[in-house]
Amino acid sequence: MHAWVDAWHSALYGPAGFYRDARGPAGHFATSTHGPSGRLFARAVATLALARGCTQILDVGAGRGELLRELAALIAAGDAELTLMGTDVVPRPGDLPGSVGWVQSAGGADLPDLGPLENTLVVANEWLDVIACPIAAVDRTGVLREVLVAPDGTEGWGDPAGTAATIGPAEADWIEQWWPHSGRPGERVEVGLPRDRALAELGARVHSGVVVAIDYGHLRGQRPRGGTLAGYRRGRTVPPAPDGTCDLTAHVAVDSLPHDTLTQQREALARLGLARANPTYELARADADAYLAALQHNSALSELQGDPLGGFWWVEKAIASPR
Ligand SMILES: C[S@@+](CC[C@H](N)C(=O)[O-])C[C@H]1O[C@@H](n2cnc3c(N)ncnc32)[C@H](O)[C@@H]1O
């Protein structure tokens, strides 16, 4: 058996890891960047970039380039002037527009050389939830211990938190500050320290601009006592097993991340000016295409602002260039 953090990381990013699968994330689950809502989501991202004076967008954990293609279409239509770049664990997708830069990454908390990031909006949609983290649980005697796992998902006990291989003093401090437990047997803790560090490292790569990580998550005081680790395969939830055949994801402790603001997606989109259209019967008679487009806009906006996507957290941090 291995510590969850190690088994999880290898299952997603090892040589035969889940995220190297040709289908890409979109073959297994939907995000804000997919389908008709992806166009509207791209518009929100471009609006944010321009509002913050950014001239470039970097998509971290770009999947197979879904968001980048929508952004490229906006640029081609003259709606924005931005340079685009993405990174994920696979080579550059063949159907990306030639103007879009691409860097292959190792995956998880590791980031590749991303070059100089000046006036850049870095967007990481559902990246942090797939950065593996150590898992601890309270045993029958009330002691919080590292949880180990076999490839088929069977779990076993490791050492007590604070002295375990992947839950040492730094992780124990994180637990105390961010995810205190009640000592009730069975309670679980997903230690977010690797995610905090990964986002801090991403921010450190940016010379000037804004970093926005978007993910499902929770706040101190409302942590899920049984943990949130889940598996996904081809649109279905499956028991989490670190065997490379399914996604492994856990909600993000968003308040422990480096940030200026935490805003839920429904509000973030509203602040960026995304609002429902009001297609009238007169419009339907005069311009059927415009009427249909307005209905599609409303449906995409409902998708992005409803449950569950509307409850996702936008974790935002501005980075000013040093004087
Ligand atoms: C849940 S998917 C989200 C994909 C896309 N952002 C979307 O919204 O559809 C997470 C993606 O992050 C990628 N990823 C994980 N760690 C990464 C890293 N260090 N650098 C680049 N991509 C990474 C995975 O390979 C996967 O494609």
Side-chain angles (χ1 to χ4, degrees), residues 13 19 25 29 31 33-34 61-63 87-89 105 107-108 110-111 125-127 130:
Y13 309 112
Y19 276 120
F29 50 84
T31 73
T33 73
H34 300 161
T87 177
D88 208 292
V89 301
S105 175
D110 294 333
L111 290 166
N125 190 56
E126 298 198 36
W127 170 51
V130 292

mmCIF file of all heavy atoms in Angstrom, residues 13 19 25 29 31 33-34 61-63 87-89 105 107-108 110-111 125-127 130, ligand 1:
data_model
loop_
_atom_site.group_PDB
_atom_site.id
_atom_site.type_symbol
_atom_site.label_atom_id
_atom_site.label_comp_id
_atom_site.label_asym_id
_atom_site.label_seq_id
_atom_site.Cartn_x
_atom_site.Cartn_y
_atom_site.Cartn_z
ATOM 1 N N TYR A 13 -0.906 11.027 -13.330
ATOM 2 C CA TYR A 13 0.162 11.638 -14.143
ATOM 3 C C TYR A 13 1.338 10.713 -14.433
ATOM 4 O O TYR A 13 2.323 11.144 -15.032
ATOM 5 C CB TYR A 13 0.666 12.920 -13.445
ATOM 6 C CG TYR A 13 -0.474 13.834 -13.091
ATOM 7 C CD1 TYR A 13 -0.815 14.065 -11.763
ATOM 8 C CD2 TYR A 13 -1.244 14.421 -14.093
ATOM 9 C CE1 TYR A 13 -1.898 14.885 -11.437
ATOM 10 C CE2 TYR A 13 -2.325 15.226 -13.769
ATOM 11 C CZ TYR A 13 -2.646 15.453 -12.443
ATOM 12 O OH TYR A 13 -3.720 16.249 -12.136
ATOM 13 N N TYR A 19 -4.765 11.097 -17.014
ATOM 14 C CA TYR A 19 -4.815 12.330 -17.816
ATOM 15 C C TYR A 19 -4.002 12.263 -19.100
ATOM 16 O O TYR A 19 -4.010 13.209 -19.886
ATOM 17 C CB TYR A 19 -4.449 13.554 -16.969
ATOM 18 C CG TYR A 19 -5.666 14.039 -16.224
ATOM 19 C CD1 TYR A 19 -5.688 14.081 -14.842
ATOM 20 C CD2 TYR A 19 -6.811 14.420 -16.915
ATOM 21 C CE1 TYR A 19 -6.835 14.504 -14.168
ATOM 22 C CE2 TYR A 19 -7.952 14.828 -16.252
ATOM 23 C CZ TYR A 19 -7.959 14.877 -14.884
ATOM 24 O OH TYR A 19 -9.101 15.283 -14.234
ATOM 25 N N PRO A 25 -9.996 15.139 -20.532
ATOM 26 C CA PRO A 25 -11.024 15.281 -19.495
ATOM 27 C C PRO A 25 -12.438 15.273 -20.062
ATOM 28 O O PRO A 25 -13.349 14.686 -19.477
ATOM 29 C CB PRO A 25 -10.703 16.633 -18.855
ATOM 30 C CG PRO A 25 -9.293 16.946 -19.214
ATOM 31 C CD PRO A 25 -8.965 16.202 -20.464
ATOM 32 N N PHE A 29 -15.952 13.840 -18.145
ATOM 33 C CA PHE A 29 -16.842 14.709 -17.363
ATOM 34 C C PHE A 29 -16.906 16.079 -18.034
ATOM 35 O O PHE A 29 -16.074 16.397 -18.885
ATOM 36 C CB PHE A 29 -16.362 14.846 -15.908
ATOM 37 C CG PHE A 29 -14.907 15.203 -15.792
ATOM 38 C CD1 PHE A 29 -14.481 16.516 -15.867
ATOM 39 C CD2 PHE A 29 -13.945 14.212 -15.623
ATOM 40 C CE1 PHE A 29 -13.136 16.840 -15.773
ATOM 41 C CE2 PHE A 29 -12.592 14.525 -15.520
ATOM 42 C CZ PHE A 29 -12.190 15.842 -15.601
ATOM 43 N N THR A 31 -17.032 20.345 -17.833
ATOM 44 C CA THR A 31 -16.630 21.507 -17.031
ATOM 45 C C THR A 31 -17.235 22.763 -17.672
ATOM 46 O O THR A 31 -17.858 22.687 -18.741
ATOM 47 C CB THR A 31 -15.094 21.669 -16.990
ATOM 48 O OG1 THR A 31 -14.653 22.133 -18.265
ATOM 49 C CG2 THR A 31 -14.386 20.367 -16.636
ATOM 50 N N THR A 33 -15.824 24.843 -19.366
ATOM 51 C CA THR A 33 -15.208 25.170 -20.656
ATOM 52 C C THR A 33 -15.773 24.342 -21.807
ATOM 53 O O THR A 33 -15.410 24.564 -22.954
ATOM 54 C CB THR A 33 -13.670 24.958 -20.612
ATOM 55 O OG1 THR A 33 -13.390 23.565 -20.616
ATOM 56 C CG2 THR A 33 -13.050 25.606 -19.398
ATOM 57 N N HIS A 34 -16.648 23.381 -21.480
ATOM 58 C CA HIS A 34 -17.128 22.472 -22.518
ATOM 59 C C HIS A 34 -18.492 22.899 -23.052
ATOM 60 O O HIS A 34 -19.262 23.549 -22.338
ATOM 61 C CB HIS A 34 -17.273 21.049 -21.960
ATOM 62 C CG HIS A 34 -15.993 20.476 -21.434
ATOM 63 N ND1 HIS A 34 -15.955 19.415 -20.568
ATOM 64 C CD2 HIS A 34 -14.708 20.831 -21.649
ATOM 65 C CE1 HIS A 34 -14.699 19.124 -20.268
ATOM 66 N NE2 HIS A 34 -13.918 19.976 -20.915
ATOM 67 N N GLY A 61 -3.689 23.655 -17.037
ATOM 68 C CA GLY A 61 -4.597 22.508 -16.986
ATOM 69 C C GLY A 61 -5.628 22.686 -18.081
ATOM 70 O O GLY A 61 -6.840 22.629 -17.850
ATOM 71 N N ALA A 62 -5.128 22.903 -19.299
ATOM 72 C CA ALA A 62 -5.979 23.344 -20.415
ATOM 73 C C ALA A 62 -6.745 22.209 -21.081
ATOM 74 O O ALA A 62 -7.403 22.434 -22.096
ATOM 75 C CB ALA A 62 -5.115 24.071 -21.442
ATOM 76 N N GLY A 63 -6.680 21.002 -20.533
ATOM 77 C CA GLY A 63 -7.390 19.875 -21.139
ATOM 78 C C GLY A 63 -6.854 19.631 -22.537
ATOM 79 O O GLY A 63 -5.656 19.476 -22.762
ATOM 80 N N THR A 87 -1.168 25.025 -21.093
ATOM 81 C CA THR A 87 -0.291 23.926 -20.688
ATOM 82 C C THR A 87 -1.131 22.775 -20.156
ATOM 83 O O THR A 87 -2.134 22.985 -19.467
ATOM 84 C CB THR A 87 0.751 24.378 -19.635
ATOM 85 O OG1 THR A 87 1.523 23.237 -19.240
ATOM 86 C CG2 THR A 87 0.113 24.986 -18.404
ATOM 87 N N ASP A 88 -0.747 21.582 -20.527
ATOM 88 C CA ASP A 88 -1.345 20.359 -19.960
ATOM 89 C C ASP A 88 -0.328 19.234 -20.144
ATOM 90 O O ASP A 88 0.768 19.479 -20.665
ATOM 91 C CB ASP A 88 -2.700 20.025 -20.607
ATOM 92 C CG ASP A 88 -3.587 19.246 -19.617
ATOM 93 O OD1 ASP A 88 -3.245 18.093 -19.309
ATOM 94 O OD2 ASP A 88 -4.600 19.790 -19.148
ATOM 95 N N VAL A 89 -0.699 18.037 -19.709
ATOM 96 C CA VAL A 89 0.293 16.945 -19.657
ATOM 97 C C VAL A 89 0.482 16.228 -20.994
ATOM 98 O O VAL A 89 1.244 15.266 -21.062
ATOM 99 C CB VAL A 89 -0.071 15.916 -18.563
ATOM 100 C CG1 VAL A 89 -0.123 16.593 -17.206
ATOM 101 C CG2 VAL A 89 -1.394 15.226 -18.871
ATOM 102 N N SER A 105 3.402 19.691 -19.794
ATOM 103 C CA SER A 105 3.717 19.728 -18.356
ATOM 104 C C SER A 105 3.817 18.309 -17.806
ATOM 105 O O SER A 105 3.276 17.362 -18.382
ATOM 106 C CB SER A 105 2.583 20.481 -17.655
ATOM 107 O OG SER A 105 2.737 20.470 -16.267
ATOM 108 N N GLY A 107 2.598 17.521 -14.755
ATOM 109 C CA GLY A 107 1.324 17.256 -14.102
ATOM 110 C C GLY A 107 1.362 17.376 -12.590
ATOM 111 O O GLY A 107 2.418 17.319 -11.963
ATOM 112 N N GLY A 108 0.177 17.571 -12.020
ATOM 113 C CA GLY A 108 0.056 17.751 -10.576
ATOM 114 C C GLY A 108 0.585 19.115 -10.173
ATOM 115 O O GLY A 108 0.351 20.114 -10.846
ATOM 116 N N ASP A 110 3.603 20.056 -10.226
ATOM 117 C CA ASP A 110 4.781 20.478 -10.998
ATOM 118 C C ASP A 110 4.368 21.334 -12.184
ATOM 119 O O ASP A 110 3.448 20.983 -12.921
ATOM 120 C CB ASP A 110 5.534 19.261 -11.548
ATOM 121 C CG ASP A 110 6.126 18.448 -10.422
ATOM 122 O OD1 ASP A 110 6.408 19.040 -9.357
ATOM 123 O OD2 ASP A 110 6.280 17.227 -10.596
ATOM 124 N N LEU A 111 5.077 22.431 -12.385
ATOM 125 C CA LEU A 111 4.788 23.301 -13.528
ATOM 126 C C LEU A 111 6.006 23.360 -14.439
ATOM 127 O O LEU A 111 7.137 23.364 -13.955
ATOM 128 C CB LEU A 111 4.446 24.711 -13.029
ATOM 129 C CG LEU A 111 3.108 24.835 -12.299
ATOM 130 C CD1 LEU A 111 3.027 26.157 -11.560
ATOM 131 C CD2 LEU A 111 1.958 24.689 -13.286
ATOM 132 N N ASN A 125 -8.826 26.388 -14.505
ATOM 133 C CA ASN A 125 -10.170 25.885 -14.219
ATOM 134 C C ASN A 125 -10.093 24.395 -13.889
ATOM 135 O O ASN A 125 -9.724 23.584 -14.736
ATOM 136 C CB ASN A 125 -11.084 26.110 -15.434
ATOM 137 C CG ASN A 125 -12.543 25.838 -15.092
ATOM 138 O OD1 ASN A 125 -13.085 26.429 -14.164
ATOM 139 N ND2 ASN A 125 -13.173 24.929 -15.812
ATOM 140 N N GLU A 126 -10.435 24.065 -12.666
ATOM 141 C CA GLU A 126 -10.424 22.680 -12.179
ATOM 142 C C GLU A 126 -9.041 22.033 -12.290
ATOM 143 O O GLU A 126 -8.921 20.890 -12.705
ATOM 144 C CB GLU A 126 -11.488 21.844 -12.890
ATOM 145 C CG GLU A 126 -12.906 22.339 -12.634
ATOM 146 C CD GLU A 126 -13.962 21.299 -12.948
ATOM 147 O OE1 GLU A 126 -13.726 20.111 -12.718
ATOM 148 O OE2 GLU A 126 -15.042 21.709 -13.447
ATOM 149 N N TRP A 127 -8.019 22.797 -11.950
ATOM 150 C CA TRP A 127 -6.663 22.240 -11.850
ATOM 151 C C TRP A 127 -6.389 21.762 -10.419
ATOM 152 O O TRP A 127 -5.922 20.641 -10.193
ATOM 153 C CB TRP A 127 -5.629 23.298 -12.270
ATOM 154 C CG TRP A 127 -4.198 22.947 -11.999
ATOM 155 C CD1 TRP A 127 -3.561 21.781 -12.348
ATOM 156 C CD2 TRP A 127 -3.209 23.755 -11.331
ATOM 157 N NE1 TRP A 127 -2.235 21.835 -11.943
ATOM 158 C CE2 TRP A 127 -2.007 23.027 -11.321
ATOM 159 C CE3 TRP A 127 -3.238 25.022 -10.746
ATOM 160 C CZ2 TRP A 127 -0.826 23.527 -10.744
ATOM 161 C CZ3 TRP A 127 -2.071 25.528 -10.186
ATOM 162 C CH2 TRP A 127 -0.887 24.782 -10.183
ATOM 163 N N VAL A 130 -7.389 18.345 -8.903
ATOM 164 C CA VAL A 130 -6.706 17.124 -9.357
ATOM 165 C C VAL A 130 -5.215 17.156 -8.996
ATOM 166 O O VAL A 130 -4.423 16.404 -9.560
ATOM 167 C CB VAL A 130 -6.935 16.840 -10.862
ATOM 168 C CG1 VAL A 130 -8.380 16.475 -11.113
ATOM 169 C CG2 VAL A 130 -6.519 18.026 -11.736
HETATM 170 C C1 LIG B 1 -10.224 18.527 -14.352
HETATM 171 S S1 LIG B 1 -9.275 18.749 -15.770
HETATM 172 C C2 LIG B 1 -9.805 20.376 -16.298
HETATM 173 C C3 LIG B 1 -9.468 20.669 -17.717
HETATM 174 C C4 LIG B 1 -9.906 22.047 -18.234
HETATM 175 N N1 LIG B 1 -9.296 23.126 -17.494
HETATM 176 C C5 LIG B 1 -11.392 22.202 -18.188
HETATM 177 O O1 LIG B 1 -11.869 23.089 -17.499
HETATM 178 O O2 LIG B 1 -12.077 21.409 -18.859
HETATM 179 C C6 LIG B 1 -7.682 19.093 -15.090
HETATM 180 C C7 LIG B 1 -6.596 19.203 -16.110
HETATM 181 O O3 LIG B 1 -5.421 19.691 -15.473
HETATM 182 C C8 LIG B 1 -4.313 19.063 -16.067
HETATM 183 N N2 LIG B 1 -3.153 19.229 -15.208
HETATM 184 C C9 LIG B 1 -2.927 18.709 -14.005
HETATM 185 N N3 LIG B 1 -1.745 19.115 -13.510
HETATM 186 C C10 LIG B 1 -1.195 19.926 -14.432
HETATM 187 C C11 LIG B 1 0.016 20.659 -14.512
HETATM 188 N N4 LIG B 1 0.921 20.659 -13.520
HETATM 189 N N5 LIG B 1 0.268 21.370 -15.607
HETATM 190 C C12 LIG B 1 -0.631 21.402 -16.624
HETATM 191 N N6 LIG B 1 -1.800 20.732 -16.610
HETATM 192 C C13 LIG B 1 -2.090 20.000 -15.524
HETATM 193 C C14 LIG B 1 -4.800 17.635 -16.238
HETATM 194 O O4 LIG B 1 -3.986 16.907 -17.119
HETATM 195 C C15 LIG B 1 -6.219 17.878 -16.748
HETATM 196 O O5 LIG B 1 -6.261 17.991 -18.141
#
